[in-house]
């Protein structure tokens, strides 16, 4: 199998062929299925049957997977697309190419663009642009506040009616407790949730790295790890007060994870995700002022990384997101304190997660759950499973294939990966959207 994404618009709109996948390891955490030597039949762009001994339906192409894993297409619950407003960093078209190469078929797009996604027409536009890509379903977040400026609430009800899956101000924390209380109350009325960037902004202002010995030694302004826990604690209390649902994005500290675990145990409507850098890297990765590893939130201490990894395994964390934040060379070729935070994550989402399957820190089924049905349950829309009748959004990967991450040679436009130079084990062989092959 090749490693090239399909980019031809005519191919993207062609009817999906009926396909019988044979000799694959069917892995569907939504139903608990893990079946080596399985078969899966796709007809009319949907999953018609799965199991073993399905026969050879007339007209169906037969694809021998050679023992590779066949799983649902990945569901990425947090990514910036660059468009509108930052097309020099990334476009929807280039992001769709990178997503397909990473096995991602559904993606929740952040609203902190220019203009911000605070108008129902823009929500519709993002959904349509995803459909036009032919390879990616885009589920838009809408802004909590107008222009993501943190001053007044956006029209949450109208945005929800237009198709917003949830509300967030993206990489900006909702700083006002009063506004957050209102947002949680209003969103509760129509069954939606608020996603928070959990970082107390006055403590984080001007910071570039996690406060501590390393930041001091490098002469970098620090952000205390407590800035995350303070915001998490505040919003858990507001969720209790309002009965609303709060989701914490890219959690990265042991203290925040412990607070979320306690809130879940108390039955509160609290969920969270993290991203690969926070369970695979620690603050040492910023090395000699390595700006590709400057992220928001910043990379943490080793004990925080281990706590996040444990929370993935025990169910405290609901999903792994790419946290894709495209930057161009001019954003990163600056002194560390002035460089823009953010890392490209679409193409490496699966492989970095699989690194911790190979390290016996996560069972394979749990890892794929965190990348498929876990985020799908939060976002809605019916993705993330191999159920009969479900859209044939599929990801086939070789669990053992080794490859190297190389900035400058990643699919898509954004190349600012914190994993540059990393050898990874586990690679996407093919991606299918509604039964049509869009990568491989």
């Amino acid at each position: 199998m090749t490693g090239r994404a399909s980019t031809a618009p005519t191919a993207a709109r062609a009817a999906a062929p009926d396909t019988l996948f044979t000799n694959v390891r069917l892995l569907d955490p939504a139903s608990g299925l893990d079946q080596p030597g399985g078969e899966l039949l796709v007809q009319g762009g949907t999953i018609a049957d799965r199991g073993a001994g399905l026969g050879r339906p007339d007209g169906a192409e037969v694809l021998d997977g050679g023992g590779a894993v066949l799983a649902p297409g990945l569901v990425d619950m947090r990514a910036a697309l660059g468009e509108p407003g930052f097309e020099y960093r990334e476009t929807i078209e280039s992001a769709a190419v990178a997503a397909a190469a990473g096995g991602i078929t559904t993606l929740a797009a952040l609203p902190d663009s220019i203009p911000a996604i605070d108008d129902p027409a823009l929500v519709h536009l993002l959904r349509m642009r995803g459909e036009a890509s032919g390879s990616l379903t885009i589920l838009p977040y809408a802004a909590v506040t107008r222009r993501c400026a943190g001053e007044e609430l956006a029209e949450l009800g109208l945005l929800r009616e237009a198709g917003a899956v949830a509300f967030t101000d993206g990489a900006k924390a909702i700083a006002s407790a009063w506004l957050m209380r209102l947002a949680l109350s209003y969103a509760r009325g129509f069954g939606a949730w608020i996603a928070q960037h959990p970082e107390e902004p006055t403590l984080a202002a001007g910071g570039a790295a996690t406060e501590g010995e390393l930041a001091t030694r490098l002469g970098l302004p620090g952000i205390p790890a407590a800035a995350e826990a303070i915001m998490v604690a505040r919003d858990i209390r507001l969720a209790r007060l309002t009965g609303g649902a709060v989701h914490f994005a890219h959690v990265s500290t042991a203290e925040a994870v412990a607070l979320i675990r306690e809130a879940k145990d108390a039955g509160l409507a609290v969920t969270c995700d993290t991203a690969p850098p926070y369970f695979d890297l620690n603050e040492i990765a910023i090395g000699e002022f390595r700006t590709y590893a400057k992220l928001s939130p910043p990379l943490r201490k080793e004990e925080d990384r281990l706590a996040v990894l444990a929370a993935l395994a025990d169910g405290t964390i609901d999903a792994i997101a790419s946290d894709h934040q495209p930057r161009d060379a001019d954003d990163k070729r600056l002194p560390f304190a002035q460089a823009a935070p953010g890392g490209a994550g679409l193409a490496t989402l699966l492989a970095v997660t699989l690194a911790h399957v190979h390290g016996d820190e996560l069972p394979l089924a749990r890892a794929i759950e965190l990348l498929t049905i876990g985020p799908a349950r939060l976002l809605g829309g019916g993705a993330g499973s191999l159920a009969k009748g479900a859209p044939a959004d599929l990801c086939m990967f070789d669990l053992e294939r080794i490859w190297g991450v190389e900035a400058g040679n990643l699919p898509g436009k954004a190349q600012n990966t914190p994993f540059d130079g990393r050898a990874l084990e586990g690679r996407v062989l093919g991606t299918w959207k509604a039964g049509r092959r869009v990568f491989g």
Side-chain angles (χ1 to χ4, degrees):
M1 298 181 184
T2 66
R4 293 173 292 181
S6 171
T7 58
T10 53
R13 293 177 177 84
D18 292 350
T19 305
L20 177 67
F21 294 87
T22 67
N23 191 21
V24 290
R25 179 179 175 181
L26 294 175
L27 185 59
D28 182 27
S31 63
L33 177 68
D34 187 350
Q35 182 181 8
E39 296 183 341
L40 184 137
L41 176 63
V42 174
Q43 292 180 322
T46 63
I47 297 171
D49 204 356
R50 68 184 197 186
L54 300 184
R56 295 295 181 270
D58 291 343
E61 298 179 7
V62 178
L63 194 157
D64 187 329
V69 177
L70 185 65
L74 307 191
V75 179
D76 183 1
M77 69 174 301
R78 183 182 176 87
L81 296 182
E83 188 177 344
F86 299 100
E87 289 86 354
Y88 68 96
R89 293 173 173 170
E90 186 85 278
T91 64
I92 290 173
E93 182 180 0
S94 67
V97 170
I104 298 164
T105 54
T106 301
L107 179 149
L110 292 174
D112 47 346
S113 51
I114 299 177
I117 309 303
D118 60 2
D119 184 290
L122 294 173
V123 174
H124 285 300
L125 178 64
L126 277 181
R127 283 187 172 269
M128 290 172 59
R129 292 296 306 276
E131 291 176 10
S133 76
S135 64
L136 185 64
T137 295
I138 295 177
L139 302 178
Y141 286 103
V144 177
T145 65
R146 295 183 187 276
R147 304 178 304 283
C148 293
E151 296 172 355
E152 58 178 320
L153 287 185
E155 294 286 350
L156 304 188
L158 294 177
L159 291 163
R160 179 68 165 173
E161 287 178 8
V165 292
F167 303 96
T168 180
D169 278 353
K172 297 179 181 178
I174 303 161
S176 166
W178 177 75
L179 270 178
M180 186 63 168
R181 179 183 181 179
L182 284 180
L184 287 167
S185 297
Y186 288 151
R188 181 191 178 195
F190 37 83
W193 42 272
I194 307 295
Q196 174 72 292
H197 172 70
E199 189 174 63
E200 205 294 314
T202 62
L203 289 174
T210 296
E211 186 176 277
E213 180 183 345
L214 180 63
T216 300
R217 179 158 51 83
L218 295 175
L220 296 173
I223 300 173
E228 181 169 286
I230 287 168
M231 189 61 86
V232 167
R234 186 202 77 173
D235 288 350
I236 287 173
R237 186 67 186 87
L238 291 175
R240 186 188 296 272
L241 178 66
T242 62
V246 63
H247 178 90
F248 297 107
H250 44 221
V251 294
S252 63
T253 64
E255 189 176 0
V257 163
L259 289 166
I260 292 165
R261 187 178 289 115
E262 290 173 7
K264 287 188 163 195
D265 289 344
L268 298 179
V270 173
T271 54
C272 66
D273 67 70
T274 193
Y278 303 112
F279 61 84
D280 188 77
L281 302 173
N282 62 29
E283 63 180 353
I284 301 301
I286 67 176
E288 296 299 317
F289 306 101
R290 187 168 170 261
T291 59
Y292 273 2
K294 184 181 181 182
L295 307 174
S296 179
L299 293 173
R300 305 299 191 180
K301 298 182 184 300
E302 176 65 3
E303 53 265 34
D304 292 306
R305 185 190 74 82
L306 293 174
V308 170
L309 192 54
L312 289 169
D314 71 18
T316 300
I317 295 175
D318 300 276
I320 297 172
S322 73
D323 212 15
H324 182 68
Q325 285 285 343
R327 299 287 184 250
D328 78 345
D330 289 342
D331 293 321
K332 288 293 188 179
R333 289 176 184 167
L334 292 167
F336 193 94
Q338 283 77 51
L346 298 174
T348 54
L349 174 61
L350 175 63
V352 177
T353 302
L354 291 178
H356 298 274
V357 173
H358 292 297
D360 293 327
E361 296 148 317
L362 281 176
L364 177 61
R366 175 60 180 158
I368 300 305
E369 178 185 3
L370 287 159
L371 295 168
T372 56
I373 193 62
R377 288 188 185 113
L378 293 170
L379 296 168
S385 83
L386 297 182
K388 293 180 184 180
D393 293 355
L394 307 170
C395 171
M396 183 185 291
F397 62 92
D398 184 335
L399 192 58
E400 310 296 335
R401 183 169 297 188
I402 297 172
W403 62 288
V405 181
E406 185 178 352
N409 286 315
L410 292 175
K413 196 169 184 178
Q415 301 295 315
N416 54 302
T417 171
F419 302 107
D420 186 26
R422 174 74 182 275
L424 293 170
E425 189 176 359
R427 187 152 202 182
V428 175
L429 302 176
T431 305
W432 288 261
K433 182 65 178 173
R436 228 179 325 95
R437 191 167 196 159
V438 295
F439 174 78

